[in-house]
Amino acid sequence: MKITHNSSKIIRYALLLITFLIASPAVAYLDKFSGLKDGVYYNYVKIGYYHDGSANDMTDAQFSDHVKDFMEIGFDGVMFELTVGVNYEGFLLENLKYEKLERWIQIVKDNSLGASILPNFTFNDDNAVYVNSETINFHLRISEIFSEENFLQSVKQYWNKNIGVFESLGVDLINIGLFDDLTFFRDGNRSIWEDIFADVRSNFSGAVTITWNKWDKFRYSKAEDINIWDLTDAISIWGKLYASDIPIYDKYEIQKKLWESPKNPTGFIKEYIEVSELYQKPLMIIENTFAIDQALDGGVDPTEDQLNNYEDALNYEMMDLKFEATIHHLNNHLSDYITSWTFGNWEAWGFTCCINWNSLDISQFPSKTRSIFSDLFADGEYIVSDKIEASPQAEIIYVPTDSETSWIVNTGGGADIIRLGNGDDQVLVPSLSGLKIDFKYQYWANAAEENYTLRFFLDELEVHSENLIIEGDSCIGEVMFPCWVRANPIVYLADTSDTGELKIQISNSFLKFDHLRVRSGEEERNLEIQSSYRPPAPDWAKDAWITDFATFEISGLSKNGKITIDGGGGHDSVSVPLAYTDLSDNFEISNIEEIKFTDGSYAFGSTATKVSNLIGMLLGVELMADESVLGEVMNYLSNGNSFKSLTWLASDYALGNGFSNEDLVEVLFLNILGRRPDSEELSVYSNSFGRDKNSQVQFVMSLTDNDLVSNALGNHYSSDVGLKFLPAE
């Protein structure tokens, strides 16, 4: 909080280290996403249609009934997810029919809903064998020949053949394809993508994009790694957001888990915001679930056996919680960037393969799930509770800029950018210090052991632990030699300001660090092992390998993090576990009215000026800095009472009930100017406002934020340097 004020006043309040961030009022980011094509704004229900053959058990009349149900829930668009097959060389296959699809699109448009097409490119028309690096490499190993150029030309060929049909049907949004890795977005492929988009746009009047299928548990790639978003009308992301491998029934615990992306430790909230800001395009969010097993990994394709035994496989409680938690999380941090929601659980392909296909029909959703969608679509906002529980991995907390909710925010000690809305928000900052630990290591996975736990200690105090998961089958079954598993996680540790030693320990294994970097703020340091403990080890264990634990010296590392808070509108307060005088320039605030520190509470902004002026004008300048008096006043306001009500009470307290205009003017002159008014001044000012109580109060209020009054009272600094008060017990 940067300050340039009267130095004696700053010294008096011991505020030399405080810096204010001067920020403009918050403006909804959606304002810059206006004027786009209609397809970018519809909320779609996603149907896994695939092709006519997979939907032959449903009549047009039955589908029409479902469309009416979609409308009743609140959807205003239908997205058809298709199958487009290529062979193992990448050439387009032409053996699927879409005649019924055309009729269904017409039914959608006849009901005044938006329509969208989302194709999956798969090998040999299989609805799940997506064309990506994994499947390509598998087929290359069995001597099949795949060509990237062939495939991209097939994408172009498909759209050249079909775009005219979709244009004639009035389709609103074309997703050129669904992609889940970066295989086809190399720089060398840029020109063909430009040709594909140009061909589509020359024959189609609606919105055009691609969809990035982001598997949060398995893929390192980020949305911004796609290098063709500049060609699209929006950034469409099907986010399969991982939370847990086992069911979690505590919605607050799910909220914390959703910050902790396994493959993107900086958090997908920050990732989505950054790609939207980078390309200046809105987000279209797709969410899907079958609620098979536990429904917290963003949706899994059910097996035929699971569908035919859906009573055991479908977990409707988890389905509700998954949608509830995910929508709450995305909405409350990304709503200024999102123009479209798409939700899917209705799969037409199930009609032909399984006897219980209706269990996947969106009309069979429990009433709670349907009400979640309806709530969101009604006003664009869905709130599980007024609490935001972040984890240390959270880096950005953005609530809707126009949100009237009074949020209770726990930053988790990790968030360094917090932007709030118009409510009376409370922010708890558990720590302004922390370490980001980035390390690459190997550990020995013994087939005889089932559990491997990594633990972190700061000066012998355990601050973090996690169970390691062996992915793949390389270490499964009987082995005659150690199986080395590589990992490269990022861990955030809070409350490290006085720490001298970091210790990392692994159970049931040997451990080797290829590198270990610790970052705090702008400072980064590569650490070397200072000491380690290892019991007698096998001959094959090299000296460099350690077991049980290794320690690293981190003393002298500046561990203060940087945090920026914009309170937005309303009366906002922040609690920070530091003394006011200990703050450094890396704590920046704007639009915050109150900060609670270890050594006291402080009022800021217009509230501080008006309260201090009110006390000085009516009770005397000697009480303007009285922490007890100020504490009573701030407590009165924090309980929801208006400033007008406070002014009314303060006037009665200073002058007694039924005071005259002359009484009021005399007190104001004495306290502000240090003298009594002369007869002419008394007459002029006494007659400048009405003699009823409301007029008297309004007159006093008009002086509380008057610059001349502030200067006369020596109070021009209080809004910036803070007004210390004793909070009510």
Side-chain angles (χ1 to χ4, degrees):
M1 297 174 288
K2 284 193 169 61
I3 300 173
T4 53
H5 300 296
N6 183 294
S7 60
S8 65
K9 298 295 184 182
I10 297 175
I11 295 171
R12 173 177 153 193
Y13 285 95
L15 304 177
L16 287 171
L17 298 177
I18 307 306
T19 305
F20 266 109
L21 174 68
I22 305 302
S24 59
V27 177
Y29 281 83
L30 279 181
D31 291 347
K32 64 186 179 186
F33 298 142
S34 60
L36 301 175
K37 296 180 179 179
D38 290 345
V40 172
Y41 298 104
Y42 291 128
N43 295 316
Y44 298 95
V45 53
K46 183 176 67 66
I47 296 175
Y49 184 92
Y50 300 118
H51 55 84
D52 284 356
S54 69
N56 58 15
D57 281 356
M58 177 169 282
T59 67
D60 292 357
Q62 287 173 318
F63 176 71
S64 182
D65 289 339
H66 281 296
V67 169
K68 291 179 173 58
D69 189 59
F70 301 155
M71 297 170 66
E72 183 178 328
I73 293 172
F75 289 100
D76 47 25
V78 178
M79 180 179 291
F80 295 95
E81 184 184 355
L82 311 181
T83 293
V84 177
V86 299
N87 65 17
Y88 291 139
E89 295 181 49
F91 290 115
L92 188 67
L93 299 175
E94 299 287 348
N95 57 340
L96 297 181
K97 302 294 185 182
Y98 295 106
E99 294 174 1
K100 176 180 277 191
L101 171 67
E102 294 179 25
R103 298 200 303 273
W104 284 19
I105 293 174
Q106 191 61 59
I107 291 172
V108 169
K109 298 303 295 183
D110 288 345
N111 283 275
S112 300
L113 296 181
S116 175
I117 302 298
L118 173 64
N120 280 317
F121 291 95
T122 66
F123 280 117
N124 292 336
D125 299 332
D126 190 309
N127 64 21
V129 184
Y130 306 117
V131 179
N132 57 31
S133 58
E134 183 178 342
T135 55
I136 291 169
N137 291 334
F138 174 78
H139 292 299
L140 286 176
R141 287 200 299 270
I142 59 175
S143 300
E144 298 287 354
I145 300 173
F146 178 85
S147 164
E148 267 186 46
E149 182 178 356
N150 288 349
F151 173 70
L152 291 174
Q153 289 296 336
S154 293
V155 174
K156 182 177 181 180
Q157 179 185 346
Y158 172 81
W159 286 112
N160 285 341
K161 177 182 178 181
N162 293 285
I163 194 62
V165 175
F166 295 133
E167 170 69 9
S168 67
L169 290 168
V171 168
D172 301 275
L173 172 70
I174 290 296
N175 283 270
I176 287 177
L178 175 70
F179 302 94
D180 63 4
D181 66 23
L182 300 177
T183 299
F184 306 108
F185 299 100
R186 312 179 204 278
D187 290 340
N189 293 327
R190 168 78 185 192
S191 61
I192 191 168
W193 281 112
E194 291 175 347
D195 290 343
I196 292 171
F197 273 84
D199 288 351
V200 170
R201 290 189 185 279
S202 67
N203 295 284
F204 182 67
S205 58
V208 184
T209 187
I210 64 166
T211 292
W212 175 237
N213 191 350
K214 181 175 173 56
W215 287 72
D216 197 50
K217 183 179 179 181
F218 303 108
R219 300 284 190 267
Y220 282 102
S221 303
K222 297 182 181 181
E224 65 184 38
D225 295 331
I226 302 293
N227 60 6
I228 64 168
W229 289 124
D230 60 302
L231 304 177
T232 69
D233 291 309
I235 296 170
S236 178
I237 303 177
W238 182 346
K240 296 187 175 182
L241 308 176
Y242 172 80
S244 172
D245 286 314
I246 60 174
I248 301 174
Y249 294 97
D250 183 331
K251 60 188 176 185
Y252 294 110
E253 186 63 24
I254 295 174
Q255 287 294 293
K256 290 182 180 179
K257 292 290 186 182
L258 285 175
W259 293 101
E260 302 172 6
S261 164
K263 298 299 184 184
N264 180 10
T266 61
F268 62 85
I269 294 295
K270 182 178 180 181
E271 173 189 345
Y272 288 8
I273 290 174
E274 287 180 343
V275 70
S276 180
E277 292 281 10
L278 178 63
Y279 288 95
Q280 291 294 288
K281 297 181 187 291
L283 298 173
M284 302 183 71
I285 299 297
I286 301 177
E287 276 297 307
N288 196 72
T289 183
F290 289 96
I292 299 295
D293 299 326
Q294 39 74 28
L296 279 177
D297 64 351
V300 292
D301 288 334
T303 65
E304 184 172 340
D305 180 65
Q306 286 174 316
L307 286 178
N308 285 323
N309 297 279
Y310 71 95
E311 295 91 344
D312 296 327
L314 291 178
N315 185 334
Y316 283 118
E317 183 177 0
M318 272 322 316
M319 180 189 293
D320 287 338
L321 279 171
K322 190 268 179 181
F323 275 123
E324 188 176 56
T326 303
I327 295 172
H328 172 91
H329 194 60
L330 293 173
N331 177 77
N332 290 336
H333 303 291
L334 295 174
S335 68
D336 289 340
Y337 301 85
I338 297 174
T339 56
S340 169
W341 295 89
T342 297
F343 300 111
N345 196 64
W346 191 76
E347 299 292 346
W349 66 267
F351 299 164
T352 57
C353 80
C354 311
I355 61 174
N356 289 315
W357 61 264
N358 62 320
S359 64
L360 296 180
D361 190 329
I362 199 167
S363 67
Q364 302 299 316
F365 269 7
S367 59
K368 183 176 181 181
T369 304
R370 294 164 63 89
S371 68
I372 291 170
F373 295 152
S374 296
D375 188 337
L376 173 66
F377 297 150
D379 58 4
E381 185 174 58
Y382 179 75
I383 298 174
V384 174
S385 77
D386 61 357
K387 293 182 180 179
I388 294 176
E389 293 282 348
S391 77
Q393 280 88 333
E395 291 201 356
I396 293 178
I397 296 177
Y398 277 8
V399 308
T401 52
D402 59 354
S403 173
E404 300 294 336
T405 300
S406 294
W407 294 99
I408 301 172
V409 181
N410 186 328
T411 69
D416 53 14
I417 301 177
I418 299 146
R419 194 194 69 205
L420 305 172
N422 294 327
D424 298 335
D425 306 305
Q426 301 176 46
V427 181
L428 172 62
V429 182
S431 174
L432 282 179
S433 60
L435 296 179
K436 173 183 176 182
I437 302 177
D438 170 10
F439 59 106
K440 184 176 181 180
Y441 65 94
Q442 302 175 59
Y443 64 95
W444 170 48
N446 185 344
E449 301 291 349
E450 295 183 357
N451 300 314
Y452 300 91
T453 302
L454 202 62
R455 292 185 170 87
F456 295 79
F457 299 83
L458 295 175
D459 292 342
E460 300 300 325
L461 175 66
E462 183 171 345
V463 292
H464 178 79
S465 68
E466 59 182 74
N467 294 321
L468 304 179
I469 300 174
I470 301 175
E471 296 182 1
D473 57 4
S474 59
C475 294
I476 303 300
E478 295 295 330
V479 292
M480 300 301 294
F481 52 85
C483 178
W484 300 105
V485 181
R486 294 181 179 274
N488 189 191
I490 295 178
V491 175
Y492 293 81
L493 304 180
D495 299 319
T496 61
S497 55
D498 298 320
T499 305
E501 183 179 86
L502 166 69
K503 182 170 78 173
I504 301 178
Q505 180 180 30
I506 190 170
S507 64
N508 299 325
S509 184
F510 296 93
L511 188 67
K512 178 182 184 297
F513 291 96
D514 294 335
H515 74 251
L516 189 146
R517 289 189 291 266
V518 175
R519 185 178 183 86
S520 179
E522 299 301 317
E523 184 177 357
E524 184 172 272
R525 181 186 299 180
N526 289 308
L527 300 184
E528 301 290 338
I529 295 176
Q530 297 297 311
S531 63
S532 65
Y533 171 75
R534 57 182 292 168
D539 293 339
W540 49 259
K542 300 177 182 178
D543 291 340
W545 294 90
I546 62 98
T547 188
D548 195 16
F549 70 81
T551 60
F552 305 84
E553 180 69 29
I554 58 174
S555 60
L557 180 68
S558 173
K559 306 176 188 69
N560 286 332
K562 179 177 181 179
I563 186 168
T564 300
I565 304 176
D566 180 355
H571 182 94
D572 305 306
S573 64
V574 178
S575 296
V576 184
L578 289 175
Y580 200 2
T581 54
D582 290 340
L583 287 176
S584 60
D585 287 345
N586 55 10
F587 183 65
E588 301 178 340
I589 67 168
S590 60
N591 301 315
I592 295 295
E593 284 69 41
E594 180 182 344
I595 304 184
K596 300 175 182 178
F597 297 93
T598 303
D599 66 344
S601 296
Y602 293 77
F604 288 90
S606 62
T607 298
T609 299
K610 291 164 66 176
V611 164
S612 183
N613 281 350
L614 179 66
I615 292 174
M617 285 162 35
L618 295 177
L619 303 180
V621 292
E622 66 277 4
L623 293 179
M624 288 174 61
D626 189 296
E627 296 178 12
S628 298
V629 174
L630 290 168
E632 293 182 22
V633 170
M634 296 303 298
N635 182 59
Y636 181 80
L637 292 175
S638 65
N639 286 332
N641 297 298
S642 68
F643 189 75
K644 182 177 181 180
S645 173
L646 173 66
T647 305
W648 194 298
L649 290 176
S651 300
D652 283 347
Y653 181 84
L655 296 163
N657 192 21
F659 58 84
S660 67
N661 284 14
E662 288 76 13
D663 293 335
L664 177 58
V665 170
E666 253 198 60
V667 166
L668 293 175
F669 261 76
L670 279 170
N671 288 328
I672 296 173
L673 300 178
R675 64 176 178 83
R676 294 182 181 276
D678 59 33
S679 57
E680 183 179 356
E681 291 170 330
L682 184 61
S683 175
V684 170
Y685 283 102
S686 297
N687 291 302
S688 64
F689 54 95
R691 293 187 175 270
D692 59 285
K693 187 61 171 290
N694 187 63
S695 297
Q696 294 169 337
V697 170
Q698 291 289 351
F699 177 67
V700 174
M701 289 176 62
S702 71
L703 297 177
T704 58
D705 57 1
N706 184 292
D707 288 341
L708 295 177
V709 172
S710 294
N711 289 330
L713 292 171
N715 194 32
H716 56 279
Y717 60 88
S718 65
S719 64
D720 293 340
V721 301
L723 193 64
K724 186 176 182 180
F725 63 91
L726 294 177
E729 297 181 358

